[in-house]
């Protein structure tokens, strides 16, 4: 037990010392990486019938109809080459041929039209066991390839009925080629695909729909995807919400000691530690953490560090872990050069998500 000094005139807070992310070096087996490719907790309960279409945007209700039919069409057995019912070996069999026509759907729309809700609903509605369906962001998929290797990833996901990729990113040509090659191999094995991507939170209406860019970048796979346009108000294009004012080091530390399951780390130290942990393990890094408390938040020094922070922000957001911090507000994490560069979409997303988690953390500070 540790005792943290309280303000004059009050009783000291006695609690277990908080956790430290910097003290963790998780080793995650490959089967867990794949098993965790499911919709994040905030989308556990979404379904097509919980999606509320805008009556002024008929494409939204149309998307539900199309995706429901797509899910229903994925029923039936998915037999790997050389296998039969009951797991018996079929020695004389031809390799299953993928069905003709589109084997994938691409949800094409601006921010805030519910693409992730619909993508998660498709995952839930597809008639297959959870271990035969995978859901992850583009970054998680590239991290999986980095952890398992390309061929092992193909073999691991090749027996799946469906792969859903949220926030397909077109800002890194190398990663785009890698994922396109992976998806091509998976389609050949009969895996159905579904994807979304997000446009930049910049000028109103700029790059609102990305289907042309998406289909061009995946090249040979374009015929496998049916673009499904979803119209709606791009409310996030109005700008990022203002980040809440940071707290003092003392307030953050005091809250960490008073909150069961909270972690407490120095922000520069945490950024350094992330370099020693593979991004595919950032989810495991936060196992059991109920709140993240950070002191001395400063501007991110370079792009490699910034991209690692983006992945951590995504994992914290997926798990709805509040973030309490001192130092700079989160909207000042990245330099103007970064925010105007090729990875600006990732940085804006990280700011938006960390800001939301900072708002969630307000209740951790004693009033």
């Amino acid at each position: 037990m540790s005792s943290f000094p309280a303000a004059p005139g009050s009783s000291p807070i006695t609690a277990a010392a908080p956790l430290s992310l910097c003290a963790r070096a998780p080793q995650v087996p490959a089967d867990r990486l794949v098993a965790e490719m499911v919709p994040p907790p905030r989308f556990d309960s979404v379904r097509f019938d919980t999606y509320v279409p805008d009556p002024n945007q008929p494409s939204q209700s149309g998307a539900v109809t199309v995706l429901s039919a797509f899910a229903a069409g994925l029923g039936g057995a998915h037999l790997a080459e050389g296998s039969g019912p009951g797991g018996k070996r079929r020695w004389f069999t031809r390799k299953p041929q993928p069905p003709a026509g589109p084997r994938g759907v691409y949800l094409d729309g601006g921010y805030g039209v519910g693409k992730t809700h619909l993508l998660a609903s498709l995952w839930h509605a597809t008639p297959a066991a959870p271990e035969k369906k995978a859901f992850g962001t583009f970054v998680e998929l590239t991290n999986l390839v980095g952890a398992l290797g390309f061929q092992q990833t193909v073999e691991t996901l090749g027996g799946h009925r469906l792969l859903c990729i949220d926030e397909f990113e077109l800002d890194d040509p190398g990663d785009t080629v890698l994922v396109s090659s992976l998806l091509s191999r998976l389609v050949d094995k009969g895996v159905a695909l579904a994807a979304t991507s997000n446009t930049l939170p910049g000028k109103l209406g700029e790059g609102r729909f990305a289907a042309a860019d998406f289909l061009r970048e995946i090249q040979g796979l374009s015929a496998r995807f049916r673009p499904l346009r979803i119209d709606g108000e791009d409310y996030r294009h109005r700008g990022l919400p203002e980040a809440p004012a940071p707290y003092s080091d003392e307030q953050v530390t005091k809250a960490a000691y008073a909150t069961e399951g909270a972690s407490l780390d120095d922000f520069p130290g945490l950024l350094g530690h992330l370099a020693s942990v593979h991004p595919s393990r950032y989810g495991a890094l936060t196992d059991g953490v109920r709140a993240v408390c950070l002191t001395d938040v400063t501007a991110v020094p370079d792009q490699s560090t910034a991209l690692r922070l983006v992945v951590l922000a995504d994992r914290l957001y997926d798990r709805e872990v509040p973030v309490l911090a001192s130092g700079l507000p989160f909207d000042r994490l990245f330099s103007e050069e970064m925010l105007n560069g090729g990875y600006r979409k990732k940085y804006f997303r990280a700011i938006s998500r960390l800001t939301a988690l900072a708002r969630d953390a307000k209740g951790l500070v004693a009033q």
Side-chain angles (χ1 to χ4, degrees), residues 229-247:
R229 179 163 171 163
I230 306 171
D231 296 288
E233 182 183 5
D234 282 346
Y235 68 87
R236 295 186 207 176
H237 279 290
R238 296 175 182 171
L240 291 168
E242 182 179 355
Y247 294 93

PDB file of all heavy atoms in Angstrom, residues 229-247:
ATOM      1  N   ARG A 229     -22.281   3.517 -51.551  1.00  0.00           N
ATOM      2  CA  ARG A 229     -22.214   4.910 -51.133  1.00  0.00           C
ATOM      3  C   ARG A 229     -23.250   5.201 -50.052  1.00  0.00           C
ATOM      4  O   ARG A 229     -24.416   4.834 -50.169  1.00  0.00           O
ATOM      5  CB  ARG A 229     -22.435   5.835 -52.322  1.00  0.00           C
ATOM      6  CG  ARG A 229     -22.400   7.307 -51.978  1.00  0.00           C
ATOM      7  CD  ARG A 229     -22.220   8.120 -53.236  1.00  0.00           C
ATOM      8  NE  ARG A 229     -22.402   9.549 -52.986  1.00  0.00           N
ATOM      9  CZ  ARG A 229     -21.988  10.492 -53.823  1.00  0.00           C
ATOM     10  NH1 ARG A 229     -21.383  10.163 -54.945  1.00  0.00           N
ATOM     11  NH2 ARG A 229     -22.190  11.758 -53.544  1.00  0.00           N
ATOM     12  N   ILE A 230     -22.790   5.854 -48.980  1.00  0.00           N
ATOM     13  CA  ILE A 230     -23.667   6.195 -47.863  1.00  0.00           C
ATOM     14  C   ILE A 230     -23.592   7.696 -47.657  1.00  0.00           C
ATOM     15  O   ILE A 230     -22.590   8.235 -47.170  1.00  0.00           O
ATOM     16  CB  ILE A 230     -23.243   5.458 -46.573  1.00  0.00           C
ATOM     17  CG1 ILE A 230     -23.160   3.948 -46.833  1.00  0.00           C
ATOM     18  CG2 ILE A 230     -24.228   5.743 -45.442  1.00  0.00           C
ATOM     19  CD1 ILE A 230     -22.552   3.173 -45.695  1.00  0.00           C
ATOM     20  N   ASP A 231     -24.656   8.378 -48.031  1.00  0.00           N
ATOM     21  CA  ASP A 231     -24.693   9.836 -47.881  1.00  0.00           C
ATOM     22  C   ASP A 231     -25.064  10.210 -46.457  1.00  0.00           C
ATOM     23  O   ASP A 231     -25.664   9.425 -45.713  1.00  0.00           O
ATOM     24  CB  ASP A 231     -25.714  10.445 -48.851  1.00  0.00           C
ATOM     25  CG  ASP A 231     -25.320  10.230 -50.298  1.00  0.00           C
ATOM     26  OD1 ASP A 231     -24.367  10.881 -50.750  1.00  0.00           O
ATOM     27  OD2 ASP A 231     -25.977   9.406 -50.971  1.00  0.00           O
ATOM     28  N   GLY A 232     -24.725  11.421 -46.086  1.00  0.00           N
ATOM     29  CA  GLY A 232     -25.072  11.915 -44.762  1.00  0.00           C
ATOM     30  C   GLY A 232     -24.304  13.173 -44.448  1.00  0.00           C
ATOM     31  O   GLY A 232     -23.390  13.578 -45.181  1.00  0.00           O
ATOM     32  N   GLU A 233     -24.667  13.793 -43.356  1.00  0.00           N
ATOM     33  CA  GLU A 233     -24.016  15.026 -42.949  1.00  0.00           C
ATOM     34  C   GLU A 233     -22.629  14.715 -42.411  1.00  0.00           C
ATOM     35  O   GLU A 233     -22.462  13.924 -41.474  1.00  0.00           O
ATOM     36  CB  GLU A 233     -24.838  15.734 -41.868  1.00  0.00           C
ATOM     37  CG  GLU A 233     -24.226  17.064 -41.435  1.00  0.00           C
ATOM     38  CD  GLU A 233     -25.016  17.706 -40.302  1.00  0.00           C
ATOM     39  OE1 GLU A 233     -25.962  17.059 -39.804  1.00  0.00           O
ATOM     40  OE2 GLU A 233     -24.688  18.837 -39.914  1.00  0.00           O
ATOM     41  N   ASP A 234     -21.635  15.343 -42.989  1.00  0.00           N
ATOM     42  CA  ASP A 234     -20.256  15.159 -42.537  1.00  0.00           C
ATOM     43  C   ASP A 234     -19.994  16.065 -41.338  1.00  0.00           C
ATOM     44  O   ASP A 234     -19.224  17.018 -41.396  1.00  0.00           O
ATOM     45  CB  ASP A 234     -19.265  15.520 -43.650  1.00  0.00           C
ATOM     46  CG  ASP A 234     -19.133  14.425 -44.680  1.00  0.00           C
ATOM     47  OD1 ASP A 234     -19.587  13.312 -44.407  1.00  0.00           O
ATOM     48  OD2 ASP A 234     -18.585  14.693 -45.747  1.00  0.00           O
ATOM     49  N   TYR A 235     -20.611  15.742 -40.200  1.00  0.00           N
ATOM     50  CA  TYR A 235     -20.544  16.675 -39.087  1.00  0.00           C
ATOM     51  C   TYR A 235     -19.143  16.842 -38.534  1.00  0.00           C
ATOM     52  O   TYR A 235     -18.809  17.886 -37.983  1.00  0.00           O
ATOM     53  CB  TYR A 235     -21.512  16.254 -37.974  1.00  0.00           C
ATOM     54  CG  TYR A 235     -21.161  14.977 -37.262  1.00  0.00           C
ATOM     55  CD1 TYR A 235     -20.301  14.983 -36.171  1.00  0.00           C
ATOM     56  CD2 TYR A 235     -21.701  13.765 -37.663  1.00  0.00           C
ATOM     57  CE1 TYR A 235     -19.991  13.815 -35.501  1.00  0.00           C
ATOM     58  CE2 TYR A 235     -21.401  12.599 -37.003  1.00  0.00           C
ATOM     59  CZ  TYR A 235     -20.541  12.622 -35.921  1.00  0.00           C
ATOM     60  OH  TYR A 235     -20.227  11.468 -35.268  1.00  0.00           O
ATOM     61  N   ARG A 236     -18.280  15.839 -38.682  1.00  0.00           N
ATOM     62  CA  ARG A 236     -16.945  15.982 -38.118  1.00  0.00           C
ATOM     63  C   ARG A 236     -16.067  16.911 -38.938  1.00  0.00           C
ATOM     64  O   ARG A 236     -15.003  17.314 -38.501  1.00  0.00           O
ATOM     65  CB  ARG A 236     -16.282  14.598 -38.005  1.00  0.00           C
ATOM     66  CG  ARG A 236     -16.990  13.684 -37.036  1.00  0.00           C
ATOM     67  CD  ARG A 236     -16.219  12.390 -36.849  1.00  0.00           C
ATOM     68  NE  ARG A 236     -17.119  11.316 -36.468  1.00  0.00           N
ATOM     69  CZ  ARG A 236     -16.733  10.056 -36.304  1.00  0.00           C
ATOM     70  NH1 ARG A 236     -15.486   9.720 -36.502  1.00  0.00           N
ATOM     71  NH2 ARG A 236     -17.611   9.138 -35.964  1.00  0.00           N
ATOM     72  N   HIS A 237     -16.503  17.243 -40.159  1.00  0.00           N
ATOM     73  CA  HIS A 237     -15.731  18.191 -40.952  1.00  0.00           C
ATOM     74  C   HIS A 237     -15.810  19.598 -40.373  1.00  0.00           C
ATOM     75  O   HIS A 237     -15.107  20.496 -40.815  1.00  0.00           O
ATOM     76  CB  HIS A 237     -16.232  18.215 -42.393  1.00  0.00           C
ATOM     77  CG  HIS A 237     -15.704  17.092 -43.222  1.00  0.00           C
ATOM     78  ND1 HIS A 237     -14.396  17.000 -43.612  1.00  0.00           N
ATOM     79  CD2 HIS A 237     -16.317  15.995 -43.721  1.00  0.00           C
ATOM     80  CE1 HIS A 237     -14.221  15.915 -44.336  1.00  0.00           C
ATOM     81  NE2 HIS A 237     -15.360  15.284 -44.407  1.00  0.00           N
ATOM     82  N   ARG A 238     -16.674  19.806 -39.403  1.00  0.00           N
ATOM     83  CA  ARG A 238     -16.791  21.135 -38.807  1.00  0.00           C
ATOM     84  C   ARG A 238     -15.597  21.472 -37.931  1.00  0.00           C
ATOM     85  O   ARG A 238     -15.464  22.579 -37.439  1.00  0.00           O
ATOM     86  CB  ARG A 238     -18.084  21.203 -37.972  1.00  0.00           C
ATOM     87  CG  ARG A 238     -19.335  21.046 -38.826  1.00  0.00           C
ATOM     88  CD  ARG A 238     -20.581  20.996 -37.954  1.00  0.00           C
ATOM     89  NE  ARG A 238     -21.776  20.804 -38.755  1.00  0.00           N
ATOM     90  CZ  ARG A 238     -22.977  20.557 -38.244  1.00  0.00           C
ATOM     91  NH1 ARG A 238     -23.121  20.460 -36.934  1.00  0.00           N
ATOM     92  NH2 ARG A 238     -24.010  20.404 -39.028  1.00  0.00           N
ATOM     93  N   GLY A 239     -14.745  20.524 -37.731  1.00  0.00           N
ATOM     94  CA  GLY A 239     -13.541  20.785 -36.945  1.00  0.00           C
ATOM     95  C   GLY A 239     -13.457  19.878 -35.743  1.00  0.00           C
ATOM     96  O   GLY A 239     -14.455  19.316 -35.276  1.00  0.00           O
ATOM     97  N   LEU A 240     -12.266  19.718 -35.220  1.00  0.00           N
ATOM     98  CA  LEU A 240     -12.071  18.890 -34.039  1.00  0.00           C
ATOM     99  C   LEU A 240     -12.584  19.603 -32.797  1.00  0.00           C
ATOM    100  O   LEU A 240     -12.484  20.822 -32.685  1.00  0.00           O
ATOM    101  CB  LEU A 240     -10.581  18.600 -33.861  1.00  0.00           C
ATOM    102  CG  LEU A 240      -9.953  17.685 -34.915  1.00  0.00           C
ATOM    103  CD1 LEU A 240      -8.439  17.724 -34.788  1.00  0.00           C
ATOM    104  CD2 LEU A 240     -10.466  16.269 -34.766  1.00  0.00           C
ATOM    105  N   PRO A 241     -13.123  18.853 -31.847  1.00  0.00           N
ATOM    106  CA  PRO A 241     -13.540  19.479 -30.596  1.00  0.00           C
ATOM    107  C   PRO A 241     -12.320  19.990 -29.839  1.00  0.00           C
ATOM    108  O   PRO A 241     -11.230  19.421 -29.930  1.00  0.00           O
ATOM    109  CB  PRO A 241     -14.217  18.327 -29.842  1.00  0.00           C
ATOM    110  CG  PRO A 241     -13.618  17.087 -30.419  1.00  0.00           C
ATOM    111  CD  PRO A 241     -13.347  17.392 -31.854  1.00  0.00           C
ATOM    112  N   GLU A 242     -12.505  21.071 -29.115  1.00  0.00           N
ATOM    113  CA  GLU A 242     -11.397  21.624 -28.342  1.00  0.00           C
ATOM    114  C   GLU A 242     -11.044  20.667 -27.208  1.00  0.00           C
ATOM    115  O   GLU A 242     -11.907  20.174 -26.490  1.00  0.00           O
ATOM    116  CB  GLU A 242     -11.788  22.984 -27.767  1.00  0.00           C
ATOM    117  CG  GLU A 242     -10.675  23.657 -26.988  1.00  0.00           C
ATOM    118  CD  GLU A 242     -11.084  25.019 -26.450  1.00  0.00           C
ATOM    119  OE1 GLU A 242     -12.211  25.457 -26.771  1.00  0.00           O
ATOM    120  OE2 GLU A 242     -10.287  25.626 -25.718  1.00  0.00           O
ATOM    121  N   ALA A 243      -9.762  20.394 -27.082  1.00  0.00           N
ATOM    122  CA  ALA A 243      -9.315  19.483 -26.036  1.00  0.00           C
ATOM    123  C   ALA A 243      -9.511  20.128 -24.674  1.00  0.00           C
ATOM    124  O   ALA A 243      -9.286  21.330 -24.507  1.00  0.00           O
ATOM    125  CB  ALA A 243      -7.848  19.127 -26.240  1.00  0.00           C
ATOM    126  N   PRO A 244      -9.939  19.362 -23.667  1.00  0.00           N
ATOM    127  CA  PRO A 244     -10.096  19.942 -22.323  1.00  0.00           C
ATOM    128  C   PRO A 244      -8.748  20.362 -21.764  1.00  0.00           C
ATOM    129  O   PRO A 244      -7.701  19.818 -22.122  1.00  0.00           O
ATOM    130  CB  PRO A 244     -10.698  18.786 -21.517  1.00  0.00           C
ATOM    131  CG  PRO A 244     -10.370  17.554 -22.274  1.00  0.00           C
ATOM    132  CD  PRO A 244     -10.308  17.936 -23.710  1.00  0.00           C
ATOM    133  N   ALA A 245      -8.787  21.348 -20.911  1.00  0.00           N
ATOM    134  CA  ALA A 245      -7.554  21.839 -20.298  1.00  0.00           C
ATOM    135  C   ALA A 245      -6.918  20.730 -19.473  1.00  0.00           C
ATOM    136  O   ALA A 245      -7.606  19.987 -18.765  1.00  0.00           O
ATOM    137  CB  ALA A 245      -7.852  23.042 -19.426  1.00  0.00           C
ATOM    138  N   PRO A 246      -5.599  20.576 -19.557  1.00  0.00           N
ATOM    139  CA  PRO A 246      -4.933  19.529 -18.772  1.00  0.00           C
ATOM    140  C   PRO A 246      -4.947  19.860 -17.287  1.00  0.00           C
ATOM    141  O   PRO A 246      -5.127  21.013 -16.883  1.00  0.00           O
ATOM    142  CB  PRO A 246      -3.507  19.521 -19.332  1.00  0.00           C
ATOM    143  CG  PRO A 246      -3.317  20.874 -19.928  1.00  0.00           C
ATOM    144  CD  PRO A 246      -4.658  21.316 -20.416  1.00  0.00           C
ATOM    145  N   TYR A 247      -4.749  18.841 -16.471  1.00  0.00           N
ATOM    146  CA  TYR A 247      -4.691  19.010 -15.025  1.00  0.00           C
ATOM    147  C   TYR A 247      -3.242  19.177 -14.587  1.00  0.00           C
ATOM    148  O   TYR A 247      -2.303  19.082 -15.401  1.00  0.00           O
ATOM    149  CB  TYR A 247      -5.338  17.803 -14.347  1.00  0.00           C
ATOM    150  CG  TYR A 247      -6.828  17.700 -14.622  1.00  0.00           C
ATOM    151  CD1 TYR A 247      -7.313  16.926 -15.684  1.00  0.00           C
ATOM    152  CD2 TYR A 247      -7.734  18.391 -13.838  1.00  0.00           C
ATOM    153  CE1 TYR A 247      -8.669  16.851 -15.943  1.00  0.00           C
ATOM    154  CE2 TYR A 247      -9.102  18.318 -14.094  1.00  0.00           C
ATOM    155  CZ  TYR A 247      -9.561  17.544 -15.148  1.00  0.00           C
ATOM    156  OH  TYR A 247     -10.913  17.480 -15.406  1.00  0.00           O
TER     157      TYR A 247
END
